[in-house]
Amino acid sequence: MRRRSLLRLGLLATILGGSTRSWLSAAQAKAKRSWQQFISQATFQRPLNRNTRVLEITTAPITVLGKTVERGCIRASDGQRGYTTRREQGVDLELVNKLPVPTTVHWHGLILPNPMDGVPYVTQPPIPPGERQRIHYPLQQDGTFWMHSHYGLQTQSFVAEPFLILSQEQEDWADQTLTVTLRDFSFTPANTILSNIVAGKRGGDTAMARALETFDWQAERPLLTQQWDATSERFCWRRQTGSLMLPDVVYDALLANERSLDAPQIIDVRPGDTVAIRWIAASAFMNFFLDLGELEGELLRTDANPVEPIRGSVFQLAVAQRLSLRIRLPDTPGVFPLLALGERSNLRCGVVLRSAPEQPIPALAPQTEQWTGPLDFTQDQQLRAQRPLSSKPTDNTIPVALTGPAPAYRWGLNNRFYPYRDPYWVEEGQRVEMVFSNPTPMGHPMHLHGHEFQIIEIDGQPLSGPMRDTVLVPKGSSCRIAFDALHPGIWAFHCHISYHHARGMFNVLAYRSADLSWWDPSGFTHEQLTFDQVDP
């Protein structure tokens, strides 16, 4: 395998602190025994067949701002990233861990058997280096999902890829369908960023944070945010004056399909065609505004769930969410950048649609003078589920206050910081509501594994909102979600900002009937996938 940086085994010092070699050796031996016991279960011994796709969890080079670095990936032996199947075919995979550290793979947004959910020390032990895990289950859904490591900070290290479940409806969406995976990138390794944040270093002490050391974040300046134009019934830009806050992480670049905007992916299309675009926010921290420029899009699905179609040129996409948009290209040939702008940032990435092959691609700056403001509930307040939950009395209400940051960068739920052993309990068959309140200084994308839920109230106002698996709860806001407890097991529930759930904003939702034998909160510390830092 080609490597431009050295991978080395380390412990996340901010969680565990120093440790001896003998302790590490004993811990690794214990983990190996636990893995062998777990993988010996009959469900993981299913033989491979001609339909089984083998996915390697490994690393690969990418080029960012003209520099080549090594990051993680999940790919088939032919080099194709991610996984595509059809609903009627189900999932038939074998995972091979080719990293030098343990890993797991979580199937984000999927309703699936609990033992295959891929959360270390909750549903399974981590997969040791060199080991394999059989994954197979029938599908109840179709649409745009993604798969990512749930071990340590590996999502920030790009161990994350698209997961597409095709259907005839999606094939009929448009003349051409594309997938755009968005990521936040730093030349500084993820574990170093977190150590720097905990130590109080501005913006994670990344190269961009140092370049902006004298930047006045509190100064009034023009900001772009999304608004709903009730007259034209479409989402568009709002330009207003406001101030920013110093982010936990100041990134060096944003990427679309592993490319920075100085060398974007060019996608050839035909004048007058319709193009459907699956957007995936596979980021670790950054939320996005999607800017379609002179084009207008029709929103078809939030996460993987149909909504009543709604139009606009600007859409919001929070960490871990997905949007499916349909665009009709002009009959006149041209070049059309589709951009993703980072929240509270002046960074951007994107792809370019080209229906005029002879026309040059304009220079697109990865960093501009224009800053964006925060995401909010503007979009979700307008969306309506095409297949909402049935009307049913609520059996179980769970209040969830999002709390932090406590000293030493601790984030929590109801003023408690994981690890602890006190789940949110549910009974099979219940209609469950979770009520989020967010008094913290920033928004949090909250994700519940193994279920889809509906947003039924925003800031005290009832609505029949979209079905989702991840909801962004903005600063100072509240919302209520509802779901039916139909999938027994123990399911992770957490903020999807990697640095937040690593610092305690995590718990589990447990059915009374669930097998909790693999749940070990004391195993919360993870070995980190690290890379040599590149001087940008």
Side-chain angles (χ1 to χ4, degrees):
M1 180 192 306
R2 180 185 175 192
R3 295 181 183 270
R4 290 185 177 268
S5 58
L6 175 67
L7 294 170
R8 57 187 183 272
L9 185 64
L11 291 177
L12 184 56
T14 54
I15 297 178
L16 183 63
S19 182
T20 65
R21 287 187 181 180
S22 60
W23 184 94
L24 179 58
S25 178
Q28 290 172 331
K30 179 182 176 182
K32 185 80 169 181
R33 291 193 299 272
S34 179
W35 170 255
Q36 290 172 343
Q37 180 183 358
F38 174 79
I39 205 65
S40 66
Q41 298 176 86
T43 190
F44 298 107
Q45 297 301 309
R46 181 172 176 171
L48 305 187
N49 59 73
R50 61 184 179 87
N51 296 318
T52 305
R53 190 162 177 84
V54 178
L55 293 182
E56 302 173 346
I57 310 164
T58 184
T59 63
I62 61 172
T63 300
V64 180
L65 303 178
K67 294 185 177 294
T68 300
V69 298
E70 200 88 9
R71 289 296 183 267
C73 70
I74 306 174
R75 67 185 183 192
S77 56
D78 61 5
Q80 182 178 347
R81 290 172 175 256
Y83 180 65
T84 300
T85 186
R86 299 188 65 86
R87 180 170 177 169
E88 61 271 19
Q89 292 174 339
V91 173
D92 191 348
L93 292 169
E94 183 181 54
L95 300 174
V96 184
N97 182 12
K98 292 197 169 184
L99 300 175
V101 296
T103 193
T104 64
V105 174
H106 164 57
W107 317 95
H108 186 106
L110 270 297
I111 296 169
L112 76 174
N114 192 230
M116 297 193 182
D117 191 44
V119 184
Y121 310 112
V122 175
T123 63
Q124 69 170 84
I127 308 170
E131 295 290 340
R132 298 167 177 261
Q133 183 177 2
R134 191 75 166 89
I135 300 291
H136 58 90
Y137 52 89
L139 289 167
Q140 303 180 34
Q141 304 150 282
D142 61 72
T144 306
F145 302 86
W146 63 303
M147 53 184 172
H148 62 84
S149 171
H150 225 286
Y151 193 85
L153 301 171
Q154 290 180 7
T155 297
Q156 179 70 93
S157 298
F158 293 7
V159 186
E161 304 292 351
F163 183 109
L164 308 181
I165 304 173
L166 304 181
S167 65
Q168 189 61 50
E169 176 196 347
Q170 296 171 74
E171 292 177 3
D172 294 339
W173 273 352
D175 299 304
Q176 187 172 349
T177 301
L178 315 170
T179 301
V180 180
T181 303
L182 304 175
R183 307 184 194 265
D184 39 23
F185 173 85
S186 177
F187 291 102
T188 305
N191 63 309
T192 303
I193 289 174
L194 183 53
S195 298
N196 291 342
I197 297 172
V198 174
K201 296 182 179 179
R202 290 168 55 93
D205 199 34
T206 62
M208 186 66 76
R210 293 191 296 274
L212 293 173
E213 187 173 3
T214 60
F215 181 76
D216 186 357
W217 293 90
Q218 299 301 320
E220 294 283 311
R221 57 177 44 85
L223 300 177
L224 291 177
T225 56
Q226 184 198 47
Q227 71 174 348
W228 171 250
D229 186 327
T231 302
S232 62
E233 296 188 328
R234 62 189 298 273
F235 294 115
C236 57
W237 283 120
R238 169 187 286 137
R239 290 169 171 81
Q240 59 185 15
T241 300
S243 60
L244 299 165
M245 57 176 274
L246 174 65
D248 299 356
V249 187
V250 178
Y251 283 94
D252 299 321
L254 303 178
L255 308 184
N257 291 345
E258 290 73 58
R259 294 171 178 245
S260 48
L261 197 56
D262 57 321
Q265 181 181 7
I266 311 300
I267 302 167
D268 288 320
V269 293
R270 296 179 301 186
D273 272 5
T274 52
V275 178
I277 304 166
R278 309 171 188 269
W279 297 88
I280 303 173
S283 46
F285 180 87
M286 185 68 77
N287 301 316
F288 299 93
F289 291 100
L290 306 180
D291 181 5
L292 305 185
E294 63 184 271
L295 303 179
E296 184 173 82
E298 181 182 28
L299 177 57
L300 303 175
R301 292 193 181 193
T302 55
D303 295 342
N305 297 286
V307 293
E308 296 299 331
I310 194 166
R311 303 189 68 82
S313 58
V314 178
F315 295 90
Q316 298 187 38
L317 185 65
V319 172
Q321 292 181 341
R322 290 87 63 213
L323 286 183
S324 296
L325 298 175
R326 179 167 55 203
I327 295 170
R328 186 186 183 280
L329 294 165
D331 294 329
T332 302
V335 172
F336 308 99
L338 307 179
L339 302 178
L341 284 61
E343 180 193 33
R344 300 180 192 258
S345 169
N346 66 344
L347 298 178
R348 59 185 191 167
C349 61
V351 299
V352 178
L353 304 185
R354 180 177 61 184
S355 60
E358 73 288 348
Q359 188 169 328
I361 305 300
L364 297 167
Q367 184 178 13
T368 72
E369 296 299 318
Q370 177 64 64
W371 291 75
T372 63
L375 271 66
D376 57 19
F377 271 135
T378 295
Q379 186 165 282
D380 278 340
Q381 285 172 325
Q382 299 298 327
L383 300 183
R384 297 294 179 265
Q386 204 172 85
R387 297 195 289 264
L389 291 177
S390 62
S391 179
K392 182 180 176 182
T394 301
D395 303 301
N396 186 354
T397 300
I398 302 171
V400 182
L402 311 179
T403 51
Y409 198 71
R410 298 293 288 173
W411 296 89
L413 303 172
N414 295 325
N415 289 302
R416 301 187 68 190
F417 311 104
Y418 198 81
Y420 50 82
R421 197 176 182 91
D422 185 14
Y424 299 124
W425 290 106
V426 298
E427 300 274 3
E428 187 172 358
Q430 288 183 332
R431 168 64 57 84
V432 182
E433 293 185 1
M434 283 184 159
V435 184
F436 298 106
S437 58
N438 181 14
T440 77
M442 62 181 298
H444 299 277
M446 302 304 299
H447 173 49
L448 174 62
H449 288 215
H451 299 75
E452 294 176 324
F453 53 76
Q454 186 177 14
I455 301 174
I456 61 170
E457 182 182 285
I458 290 176
D459 291 333
Q461 297 298 313
L463 76 162
S464 182
M467 298 292 295
R468 287 195 174 277
D469 53 62
T470 307
V471 59
L472 178 73
V473 187
K475 167 188 173 181
S477 289
S478 64
C479 73
R480 185 184 299 262
I481 65 170
F483 62 92
D484 290 323
L486 302 176
H487 312 294
I490 175 171
W491 302 100
F493 167 72
H494 59 93
C495 174
H496 219 283
I497 294 174
S498 294
Y499 303 101
H500 290 187
H501 71 70
R503 296 296 292 170
M505 208 172 212
F506 181 100
N507 197 6
V508 299
L509 180 98
Y511 285 65
R512 294 287 180 182
S513 60
D515 175 10
L516 306 184
S517 60
W518 298 104
W519 181 29
D520 178 15
S522 68
F524 193 64
T525 299
H526 300 157
E527 296 148 315
Q528 296 302 314
L529 178 64
T530 60
F531 302 88
D532 281 345
Q533 186 168 336
V534 175
D535 183 1

